[in-house]
């Protein structure tokens, strides 16, 4: 297995894993961005294959075996210039996440972290976190950040085990088939 930057040709796997990471939230967003007869995952793959944008493959690092993507970590450097100004322009269930992001400016914000179910509990998520921590350090950033649903105890435990601590929370807004009712926790780790 090797850790590498994502390629545009990984888009289908990245869409699947991104949606898995967000527990369906990405699919709800992509449903609104679908064109014609596209499914949400097809719309996600189309957006991920682009050279720019928040969903672009350029924002993702993967762990792969041969050509098979087994896991991903996506994110971006949060700074005032890339944070939204008007919350009303966004779907209601996204607004709490944007509010949390305003509290962690100048961090490397992890927007997706997922490992395929077939290879979980083998340390791959930790390897991806370590890789992104090294990337953030080379950019001279001092913190990593990630938003996690409070009801996702496995993700909360993983992040706490890597040294993340909760610094803020916002109520989860139910939408469509999203499964959580609790809170979004913004967690940071000093690096």
């Amino acid at each position: 297995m090797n850790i590498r930057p994502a390629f545009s040709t990984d888009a289908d796997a990245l869409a699947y894993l991104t949606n898995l990471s967000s527990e369906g939230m990405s699919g709800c967003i992509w449903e609104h961005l679908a064109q014609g007869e596209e499914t949400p995952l097809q719309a996600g793959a189309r957006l991920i294959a682009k050279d720019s944008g928040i969903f672009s493959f350029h924002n993702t690092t993967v762990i792969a075996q041969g050509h098979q993507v087994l896991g991903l970590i996506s994110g971006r450097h949060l700074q005032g210039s890339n944070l939204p100004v008007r919350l009303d322009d966004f779907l209601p269930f996204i607004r709490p996440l944007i509010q949390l992001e305003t509290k962690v400016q100048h961090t490397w914000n992890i927007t997706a972290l997922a490992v395929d179910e077939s290879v979980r509990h083998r340390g791959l998520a930790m390897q991806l976190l370590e890789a992104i921590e090294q990337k953030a350090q080379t950019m001279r950033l001092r913190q990593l950040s990630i938003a996690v649903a409070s009801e996702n105890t496995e993700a909360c435990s993983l992040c706490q085990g890597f040294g993340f601590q909760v610094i803020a929370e916002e109520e989860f807004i139910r939408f469509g088939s999203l499964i959580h009712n609790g809170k979004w926790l913004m967690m940071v780790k000093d690096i």
Side-chain angles (χ1 to χ4, degrees):
M1 284 186 242
N2 67 315
I3 294 177
R4 62 168 173 80
F7 305 133
S8 63
T9 54
D10 297 325
D12 289 337
L14 299 181
Y16 168 76
L17 289 167
T18 298
N19 195 49
L20 182 67
S21 170
S22 69
E23 300 180 66
M25 182 178 287
S26 296
C28 290
I29 295 168
W30 296 335
E31 183 177 351
H32 290 276
L33 301 173
Q35 298 174 349
E37 298 295 315
E38 277 184 328
T39 66
L41 283 180
Q42 289 168 334
R46 175 179 48 79
L47 295 166
I48 287 167
K50 291 186 174 189
D51 282 325
S52 62
I54 191 169
F55 293 114
S56 173
F57 69 94
H58 287 295
N59 300 326
T60 303
T61 299
V62 301
I63 191 161
Q65 189 162 27
H67 295 290
Q68 183 182 9
V69 175
L70 302 173
L72 66 72
I73 190 165
S74 299
R76 68 194 192 283
H77 176 196
L78 279 184
Q79 43 196 338
S81 62
N82 66 2
L83 289 170
V85 178
R86 291 177 26 101
L87 283 179
D88 292 343
D89 292 341
F90 293 87
L91 296 167
F93 65 91
I94 299 172
R95 293 175 193 160
L97 292 170
I98 294 169
Q99 289 172 318
L100 287 171
E101 286 180 351
T102 64
K103 298 174 184 185
V104 291
Q105 291 188 41
H106 307 293
T107 68
W108 184 265
N109 181 247
I110 299 165
T111 56
L113 173 61
V115 173
D116 190 88
E117 295 98 335
S118 66
V119 290
R120 285 201 179 151
H121 306 289
R122 297 186 190 174
L124 302 183
M126 283 294 198
Q127 290 178 45
L128 288 165
L129 285 166
E130 289 167 358
I132 215 66
E133 181 177 48
Q134 289 174 357
K135 179 178 182 173
Q137 287 172 332
T138 63
M139 296 173 67
R140 300 188 189 274
L141 297 175
R142 295 189 177 143
Q143 288 184 317
L144 299 176
S145 61
I146 188 169
V148 179
S150 62
E151 292 182 352
N152 187 339
T153 55
E154 188 173 355
C156 289
S157 293
L158 172 74
C159 292
Q160 289 169 337
F162 193 68
F164 283 92
Q165 296 179 339
V166 176
I167 59 137
E169 58 186 48
E170 290 284 338
E171 290 296 322
F172 190 90
I173 296 175
R174 296 246 338 135
F175 184 84
S177 61
L178 300 178
I179 61 173
H180 292 296
N181 288 314
K183 298 179 181 215
W184 285 111
L185 306 176
M186 180 55 76
M187 305 175 88
V188 297
K189 178 186 179 187
D190 293 332
I191 55 175

